[in-house]
Amino acid sequence: MSNSTLVYSVETSNPFLEEVMERSGQNLRSCYQCRRCAAGCPVGDEAVVTPDRLIRMILLGEKEESLKNLLSWKCVACYTCGTRCPNNIQTARINEALKQMAKEAHIEPVIPKVASFHSAFMKSVAHFGRSNELEFMGLYELENFKQGGVNAVMDDLKSTSKLGLSMLKKKRMHFTLDKTKGRSEIKRLYKKSAEKRGSKE
Amino acid sequence: MSFRDILDSGKFAVTAEIGPPKGTDIKEMYHHIEVLKGKIDVANVTDNQSAVMRISSLAVCKIVLDNGMEPVLQMTCRDRNRIGLQADLLGASVLGIHNVLCLTGDHVNAGDHKQAKSVYDVESVQLLKIVEGMNNGKDMSGNEMKGATNFYAGAVVTPEANPLEPQLVKFEKKVKAGAKFFQTQAIYDMEKFKSFMAYARKFPVKVLAGIVVLKSAGMANFMNKNVPGISVPQVLIDEIKAAGKEKALETGINIAARHIKQLKDEKICDGVHIMAIGMEDKVPMIMERAGLL
Amino acid sequence: MNDKISSPKKGSVVIVGGGIGGMQAALDLADSGFKVHLIQKDPSIGGTMVMLDKTFPTGDCSMCMISPKMVEVGRHINIDVHSLAEVASVEGQPGDFKIKVKLAPRYVYPEKCTGCGDCEIKCPKKIPNEFDQGIGKRKVIYSLFAQAVPNTRAIDARHCLYLTKGTCRLCEKACKAGAINYEDKERVIEINAGAVILSPGLDRYDATVRGELGLGRWKNVVTSLQFERILSASGPFKGEVKRPSDEKHPRKVAWIQCVGSRDSHNANPWCSSVCCMYATKQTIIAKEHDKNIEPTIFYMEMRAFGKDFDKYVERAKNEYGVRYQRAMISAVREEPETGNLMLRYADEAGKLIDESFDMVVLSIGLEPHKDAAKFAKTFGIETNPYLFAKTSPLCPVQTTRDGIFVTGTYQGPKDIPDTVMQGSAVAGEAMALLSEARGTETVHKELLPERDVENEKPRIGVFVCHCGTNIAATVNIDEVVAAAKQLPDVAYVTNTIYACAQDNQDMIKQVVKDNNLNRVIIASCTPRTHEPLFQETIRDAGLNKYLFDLADIREQCSWCHMGQKEEATKKAVKIVKMSVAKSRLQKPLKTDYVGVTPACMIIGGGIAGMTSSLSLADQGFDVHVVEMEKELGGLTRNLFRTLEGNDVQEFLKATIAKVQAHKRITIHTNTQVKKTEGFVGNFKTALSNDTLISHGAIIIATGGTEYAPAEYLSGESDKVITQRDLEKRIASGEKFNPRARFVMIQCVGSREEPNQYCSRVCCQDAVKNAIAIKEQNPGSQVIILYRDIRTYGLREDYYKKARDIGVMFVRYDVDKKPQVEKDGDKLKVRTWDYMLNKELMIDADWLVLSAGLRPHPTTEGTGKMYKVTRNQDGYFLEAHVKLRPVDFPTEGIFVCGLAHAPKNLDETITQSLAAAGRAGVILSHERLAVSGIIAKHKKELCMSCLGCFRVCPFDSPYIGEDGKVAHNEVKCMGCGICAAICPAKAFQVNNFRDDQILAMIDAASECESGVVGG
Amino acid sequence: MITGEQKPFEEIWNMVKDFKKVLVFGCNTCVAICHAGGGKEAEILASLLRMKASEEGIAIEINHNAVERHCEPEFFQPVMEDIRTYDLILSTACGVGVNLLSENIGDIPVFPAINTEFFGAVPRAGEFTELCAGCGNCILHLTGGICPIARCSKSLLNGPCGGTNNGSCEVSPDIKCAWVLIYDRMKKLNKLDLMKEINEAKDWSKAQGPRNFKVKVLEEIKK
Amino acid sequence: MEIAYYPGCSLHASSRLYDVQTKTVLSKVGIELSEIEDWNCCGATSAGKQDDFLAIALPARNLGIADATGLSEIMIPCSSCYSRTLVSQKTLERDPKLKAEINTELAKKVEGKIKVSNILEVLLSKKNEIAEKAVKKLAGLKPACYYGCLLTRFPSDVPVSDNVENPVAMEGILKTIGAEPLDWGYKTDCCGASASVNDADTALVLMSKIFKDALARGANCFVTTCPMCQLNLDAYQDEVRGKYGIAKGLPVYFITELIGVSMGMDAEQMQIDRHFTEAVGLLKELKLL
């Protein structure tokens, strides 16, 4: 964390804070810094910034740092922080909001693979209405390739192909594609979602 | 030039301390005299410093003198009554020792003979008056003596004491009682010292600022806590801390040199009194860095 | 109140709940001429306080403090304790309620049971002991704890083998008093009373609900109350600090604060007010029990808001090495092999630390008791959303139903002194309501004339009690009887199974008469509980009560030497011998009486003094209010709204009007006290306006002042104002710029040397004003720089509200205080944010300083005048910080309001009502009895060294007109300190004279002269 | 008044243990007030000694008695006959009393049970402070009523030494620097000029013991 | 008794065995599962992370279909699907505007009346029947019951039927069939399933803690109801053990297969051979197969 002085004013910090609050549905202001969330965060050691500090950064208007924080990407969405929060703040939801805001602001993902994974998953669902491992893995590696080139893909394939192989062996993977018939409905929902996001940007 | 002449000439004087050892082995002390000789102007010989018993200051003054350096006899009122003090002053005079620094002396409580009976028959101000009287050929009771003394008398003052006002009253008394020069307690805060000097300059006396080298941040903190009248500003402590353990002494020496240089360059006082406390070897280095050698 | 009451008011009061608050109210009322019915759901009174080991800050044993009060309640002729009882319905109106009370069967005849406990030993079934919080076990026939009042056993019908399965009856066989009654049935009684006081006490948060904390899961996780029992000498580990899993001595022990409190998401939103301090106390006591313990307290905010609390916390830190870690714990995990508990927390720098502890204590919060909702319905009162009884800060002990009052934790979370204070306050309110009926339902005992025995040779009767098997199982009673018969002046000796049983009381009276005895000794249990009873017995037989002596051969012999029959018997004989030696020298003592002037002088005409004066005047006493300023109101004049939103100025105006209109109240404004002489019941005071007043009691309500800050550019910029200034501006309707930027700094002039105390009101004031500003202009910026936010109790709601509406809170440390600079007509504030570990720079249009409170400048003089002491900070020191929060050691003088310590308006009002209640107790007596056990001063021996004068806590020795020491016996409490210190032995305490004590020592040592060994 | 403190019990016991009949003899004036040597303390000490004797298995008869003053023979003369039956008198009076009794008692030893301290004031119950050293040559009018002889650990006459530390003495932070007190007081009295005068070395001849004096009026009457 | 059934993608794919077990075991205790028609993916964690709207809308479509069945209860064995669906239902209950907006796009409208249950709630309601049908007592089986994150913790407040931080339903059921479940410290801690593909290091460290505690307390297997957790703990066991030096592996059972075994079914019927970490051996050792 940098040690420079932070000039605080409500006028400058509020727009960002309000947006995070609105998009995450969390009342960050109610935080009284008990730091239970930090203590309970399973990825606290790895994430550098713990939920309490992330909330504080947003409260005090450190917009850029918030949008680029590692926690949002390391977060496993276990909801431990929010479940135990005496003020009912779900940092996992804040993380989701921040990642979306980062994307909209064209900020590079801090962990590209995480972005690829979820975006691939969502694309896969959009195609068939259901998630299919093979197709999803294909899409994921494609996303990975976009983000990190061949090396990223090779790196990943080494571990995933091993798993895939044993999944095959244990008859836990299937080749027929599971599909939902009412895909048009799902497409409409995707479109609606895109519209909603568009109206915000 | 005698010490009196040096000061009167306006030269920036440098004095340092020779601490007599406990016991008869005086090899190391000889070494210190060698190191300092020719560099400093005069050497103060301490008198059972901190109430710890050692070789008498009078004897050591004689050794210093014999080795080619001018001594200042430090004399405290703790261990001798008025008869003893006068007798020793006469003794010093006939041995050719003509500088005397009149002190009250640390309480026996501080030293290595805590059960001793403190004397304090007279104290520093009165001792100064005794010296003045003897210089005029009279002992303390007003009896004429055969042959007067010719002492150059000095005293001490603590410019950073808390509270300061009573000390200043005493300073004035010392001047009145015949002190010609003052060697101060260690000073670290230049601004405070300057304001003291602004006051002291009203009196016709020479002032030598006390310099004690800070060996570590710990020592500074210790002195702040335990030594009356010394206050090391936080910035200096931070400076030493920032230098790290290895470089602490080096930094302390630099600070001392820097202070001495400033005192001299800005003509703040008439000289410095370097209390090396076991680091007599380093005195020339300090002087060198202060631009005095 | 209600002036349409047609039927005359009743002189009795029903008190529901016999915890410390209920007991205080009961004693105050019963001592001042009201009949009291104390309804207690449990088999014993005592409440929560009896479960505690020690109380802070004095470290007094909780039981030792409360037990005498319980005995007093139990024995009081005008208090009926109905235990195992619940109120079923309340009908009627203030002054005349009809209360139906359901009495659960006890299965023991209370009048026959002596409390010896023989039945309990025989009972074959053990169940978890709720009193020890389930850590230990108890029998099915039981008393809640050893010192229970009433001291009768009860059978727990749910578990009794006979009552559930029809076999056993072992207790019946064991009981020599024939007190077991398996046929007992539930009964309903009806009580007609003038007022009802609710003091049902509290429940504690059930932390098993939060599984992550491991309570009930990991053995070495205990609640704070369980830990209290672990610390207690009467608890499961006899006071040794052990952990439950393996009974090993824990080294590292962690306390986790706010368990169940300050958590609007998962638990209770309020602050329980007491946990910070009890945890601190527990760490200190734990360290005192076992110096190897290393306590750590994990906390959010140290809410040491009370008088001398901060100092206590500092002591814990500095003297006991208690570690305070500002961090909350998310989960407690047990390490499988060791049973140790792993805690993870984020330190101040944000670093995550795993630390293993041997034991974890959960500081569980307070809740309204479990059936609070039902309770409210029964009594027809409203509650707040959290089910605490609904009250107003301006009428803090009144429920929504007239004539029904509330005290203690049912009104909101609070600690012991606040509860005791409310106890006296409700008593005062009930006295005021029922003043005309005072004395109508109380009874007095008619006594026989005393027999003159002054010139008789001593004829001593000795009764040696078996106490069931309590004594007899260890001490050979026959041997003691035989030995006693050999002693000089002993005329009669017998033994008895239970000396205290009703039939034996009659026997003793008869024996005294038949044998013409003039001294009585009963060798039995402790004088603490039984001496007054036996004194009464011999008084009934026509003897002066001071001719009685109790030889304690139970607590001091059979109980502590169990299994050592021979030695115990020898010791019992010696104890009896000592008692006889003393008894031979006993003299009848006179009980003197002094009259009481039924008027009170109140120094200070602020809200404290006025509240006291109205209560006392309503109670029917004359009141003189002495106010040095030209108008009434004190500091309350600067207060506009309470945190809860009440209009304070309106209230003040109404109060002043009431005081001015009351015919019993005389107001002396622009006046000071010149001199007061006299003693309790009989004070005479000269005022500076040359009035001379006679009064029986004094209330010191001299108030405090607000600190005028010198810090943070105060006085250098008109943009730097105090919280009080801001409140005034808001109240006067000032419109601030909608985008105005406020920075508030807390603890200005508080909580640092030389004022190392919390001013208690500032956090609320800041929150109150911050909310007001944000509500006026949501776009304004309000930042509160604080050290700990101390919105204790239900005030926490407002702290949350302030955050929710966008007030920003930034903590600062005393070592790194905010820096304020002028920047044109604006201000710049720099402070450190501990969450981001960086400096914050904030521009401010207004800097609002939360300046603390200070004792009033007259406090010192007043203290000297009445010889009442003050604490380090200059506030008056009460007689006992826990149990006598409005009394002074000097009888007849009371304190309330800011003169006592910083406090909020509702607390000042409560304390003022309490002071009025306490004063009312004294003023209601026509005369006051002076105990016979007092020190006697022999002037001819005295050399006026002033030793006594200096040490007497009651100021009874004084320097007489002849310049020598004299003694005012009315003030003497018989403590004996003077006798101990007097180098000339000029003081002797009646019945504890040197010759008596020496005779006892000689009797014990059988050493006749000063020669030994020869 | 004169203050004293009881000697350590072991020291007293070692004085007493070889005697057979001991009187613990208290003085009911000054040392009674400081709870060191009055009749009560004599009684307690006698009792402690008896316990010690019984513990050690040594047969000593130990009794106690006290009179108003040991410094005036009239007070102990009445009990002299009884006192002479002992082989040791353990006096709890001040040194004056021990001396005077020794001179008057003949060949019976008189041992001190207390260490005589100083003449003290009683600022608070149980606290005694030395404010005057009885030096025979009072200069309190020059020092604002605060005595540098008694209250400065070096008995300085011309102001504080360099050891004054935030108003405390270099000997102990619990001792206030007398000269700082004097300075503050002189300032309050507006007499700082007086403080600037040099005080001559003290005439200690008046403090040299043994001292005595006679009350002049009585001398006159006797004549 | 007929209950609506939403298997979700995993039970149709990587955890097909769970689908088989669930249907078999429940039919034994009189519950007939009726798979809702043409269901779609709930969006899982990804929707939650990427798209707030879809996170509610995707499960909403399934809820609409479920409501239309007229059945009173729908069971969702997969914790993730259960969580998403329950949150969607409760969110729409609180937000009528959003409900209307989504409903306009749906063929079958969400009504919100069907009760969304997880598998433990359903099993618990049949606890007595399970005990009756248990012909084999699972003596010697010392499972660490692993609930994972999603069964008791939710992104927003919804009613939770068990103790959120110390759920005990699984232990209760296992005790009735004679197993000896242990209390341990990581019942509801995250195993990192959602990160195992894209942030493996994080997932491995989380799993290592779970393994260490279970082993230290003497567990001889894990039992879970979440297909993600099962797959994660089962498939990555070698990596975790290798990286963190854990000596012993543990079979990771679905609760359903253990109930099946207690009802006397064999490994094949329960497809126990489809585990990555050998899972049949322990049951054989304990003479349960």
Side-chain angles (χ1 to χ4, degrees), chain C residues 943-947 950-951 978-985 998 1009-1014, chain D residues 28-29 32-33 35 39-41 43 50-51 53-54 58-63 122 124-125:
Chain C
M943 54 195 192
S944 292
C945 76
L946 305 186
R950 293 193 179 104
V951 297
C978 54
I981 199 150
C982 178
K985 295 187 176 180
L998 287 171
S1009 77
V1011 191
V1012 287
Chain D
N28 267 333
T29 307
I33 289 173
H35 293 273
K40 191 166 82 167
E41 287 73 29
E43 186 175 350
R50 279 196 293 273
M51 280 192 241
S54 125
I58 301 174
I60 315 180
E61 181 181 338
I62 301 167
N63 290 318
V122 197
R124 249 177 306 273

Side-chain angles (χ1 to χ4, degrees), chain B residues 16-33 36 43-64 71-76 78 80 103 112 277-278 280:
Chain B
E17 269 180 0
I18 293 288
K22 186 193 275 286
T24 53
D25 179 353
I26 52 174
K27 276 203 285 300
E28 197 184 345
M29 189 181 85
Y30 270 125
H31 171 67
H32 288 156
I33 294 170
L36 297 173
N44 278 46
V45 181
T46 56
D47 179 12
N48 293 316
Q49 198 171 20
S50 300
V52 174
M53 189 281 290
R54 303 153 197 273
I55 302 178
S56 91
S57 66
L58 178 54
V60 174
C61 277
K62 175 69 172 133
I63 293 173
V64 169
V72 176
L73 173 67
Q74 295 200 179
M75 218 174 203
T76 73
R78 175 187 57 238
R80 284 155 292 190
L103 305 114
D112 62 351
I277 320 178
E280 285 76 2

Side-chain angles (χ1 to χ4, degrees), chain C residues 491-504:
Chain C
Y492 183 91
V493 186
T494 189
N495 61 340
T496 152
I497 305 292
Y498 296 113
C500 57
Q502 200 51 51
D503 49 346
N504 284 324

Side-chain angles (χ1 to χ4, degrees), chain A residues 10-11 30 32 35 53, chain C residues 262 326 739 781 803 835:
Chain A
V10 162
E11 304 240 333
S30 65
Y32 54 42
R35 312 208 299 284
R53 293 191 190 241
Chain C
R262 300 188 63 196
R326 195 186 285 267
R739 301 233 162 260
Q781 166 176 311
R803 294 197 313 274
M835 292 300 295

Side-chain angles (χ1 to χ4, degrees), chain C residues 408-643:
Chain C
T409 45
Y410 186 40
Q411 191 252 346
K414 59 177 63 65
D415 64 359
I416 294 169
D418 285 353
T419 300
V420 173
M421 236 181 253
Q422 281 198 336
S424 288
V426 275
E429 290 280 76
M431 288 176 208
L433 173 67
L434 305 175
S435 66
E436 64 208 66
R438 201 192 284 267
T440 54
E441 293 187 34
T442 48
V443 290
H444 299 280
K445 210 166 170 183
E446 290 305 321
L447 293 173
L448 287 174
E450 267 180 32
R451 212 176 90 208
D452 179 14
V453 301
E454 197 93 39
N455 299 315
E456 289 177 12
K457 199 176 158 324
R459 286 180 59 76
I460 304 173
V462 180
F463 299 82
V464 185
C465 180
H466 293 238
C467 195
T469 57
N470 268 304
I471 296 171
T474 302
V475 171
N476 185 331
I477 302 287
D478 291 341
E479 263 182 54
V480 179
V481 170
K485 280 184 177 156
Q486 306 304 313
L487 297 172
D489 295 335
V490 171
Y492 183 91
V493 186
T494 189
N495 61 340
T496 152
I497 305 292
Y498 296 113
C500 57
Q502 200 51 51
D503 49 346
N504 284 324
Q505 299 283 295
D506 296 334
M507 180 272 283
I508 293 166
K509 284 179 214 166
Q510 201 55 48
V511 167
V512 169
K513 281 177 195 156
D514 293 351
N515 295 279
N516 205 25
L517 300 179
N518 55 22
R519 307 277 191 287
V520 172
I521 292 170
I522 294 178
S524 61
C525 50
T526 167
R528 192 175 55 77
T529 55
H530 281 63
E531 189 171 61
L533 171 72
F534 293 134
Q535 283 184 332
E536 211 173 290
T537 309
I538 72 160
R539 181 65 191 82
D540 288 346
L543 287 180
N544 179 287
K545 69 175 185 177
Y546 297 108
L547 295 171
F548 170 78
D549 195 52
L550 202 150
D552 181 353
I553 58 170
R554 192 178 74 179
E555 274 82 342
Q556 296 179 10
C557 188
S558 71
W559 278 1
C560 51
H561 303 298
M562 228 171 255
Q564 301 163 271
K565 266 192 146 176
E566 204 173 310
E567 290 86 345
T569 304
K570 267 191 201 157
K571 182 170 172 183
V573 168
K574 277 198 174 178
I575 292 172
V576 171
K577 267 189 180 173
M578 286 161 71
S579 184
V580 169
K582 180 183 177 190
S583 178
R584 291 168 69 197
L585 300 171
Q586 264 168 337
K587 289 176 189 156
L589 301 176
K590 261 206 225 96
T591 309
D592 282 336
Y593 290 92
V594 290
V596 174
T597 313
C600 184
M601 175 177 74
I602 296 175
I603 311 176
I607 203 68
M610 289 194 290
T611 306
S612 294
S613 70
L614 283 172
S615 173
L616 279 166
D618 284 344
Q619 287 179 45
F621 305 111
D622 289 334
V623 182
H624 294 271
V625 178
V626 182
E627 168 59 54
M628 67 185 288
E629 289 183 38
K630 65 177 190 299
E631 51 182 320
L632 297 171
L635 280 191
T636 313
R637 283 187 310 229
N638 306 332
L639 207 63
F640 296 88
R641 284 202 183 271
T642 64
L643 181 63

Side-chain angles (χ1 to χ4, degrees), chain B residues 82 104-110 118-126 129 140 158 161-163 165-167 169-170 172-174 176-177 185 225-229, chain D residues 153-172 179-181 183-184 187 192-204:
Chain B
R82 58 189 85 180
T104 297
D106 293 331
H107 198 273
V108 293
N109 199 41
S118 298
V119 179
Y120 300 119
D121 180 17
V122 295
E123 29 87 316
S124 53
V125 174
Q126 292 153 355
K129 287 204 73 171
M140 191 186 167
T158 309
N162 183 16
E165 295 81 0
Q167 292 289 337
V169 170
K170 192 153 185 179
E172 283 185 41
K173 282 191 182 187
K174 285 178 175 175
K176 220 194 270 184
Q185 175 61 289
K225 221 170 158 185
N226 298 304
V227 184
Chain D
S153 57
K154 298 176 185 172
S155 297
L156 301 184
L157 285 173
N158 280 302
C161 67
T164 170
N165 194 5
N166 293 322
S168 286
C169 175
E170 70 173 56
V171 171
S172 158
W179 277 101
V180 171
L181 294 176
Y183 177 84
D184 290 345
K187 196 170 172 184
L192 275 182
D193 288 348
L194 191 58
M195 200 180 154
K196 289 183 185 168
E197 299 288 320
I198 293 178
N199 289 314
E200 293 304 323
K202 187 172 177 64
D203 175 1
W204 282 106

Side-chain angles (χ1 to χ4, degrees), chain D residues 98-175:
Chain D
V98 177
N99 273 279
L100 191 63
L101 190 60
S102 290
E103 274 176 27
N104 282 274
I105 204 169
D107 56 0
I108 301 165
V110 182
F111 286 176
I114 72 169
N115 291 322
T116 307
E117 303 282 346
F118 50 84
F119 347 133
V122 197
R124 249 177 306 273
E127 266 183 54
F128 295 85
T129 313
E130 181 169 20
L131 298 177
C132 170
C135 70
N137 189 5
C138 196
I139 53 153
L140 283 166
H141 56 297
L142 301 176
T143 57
I146 292 160
C147 178
I149 302 294
R151 299 173 71 178
C152 166
S153 57
K154 298 176 185 172
S155 297
L156 301 184
L157 285 173
N158 280 302
C161 67
T164 170
N165 194 5
N166 293 322
S168 286
C169 175
E170 70 173 56
V171 171
S172 158
D174 299 334
I175 302 172

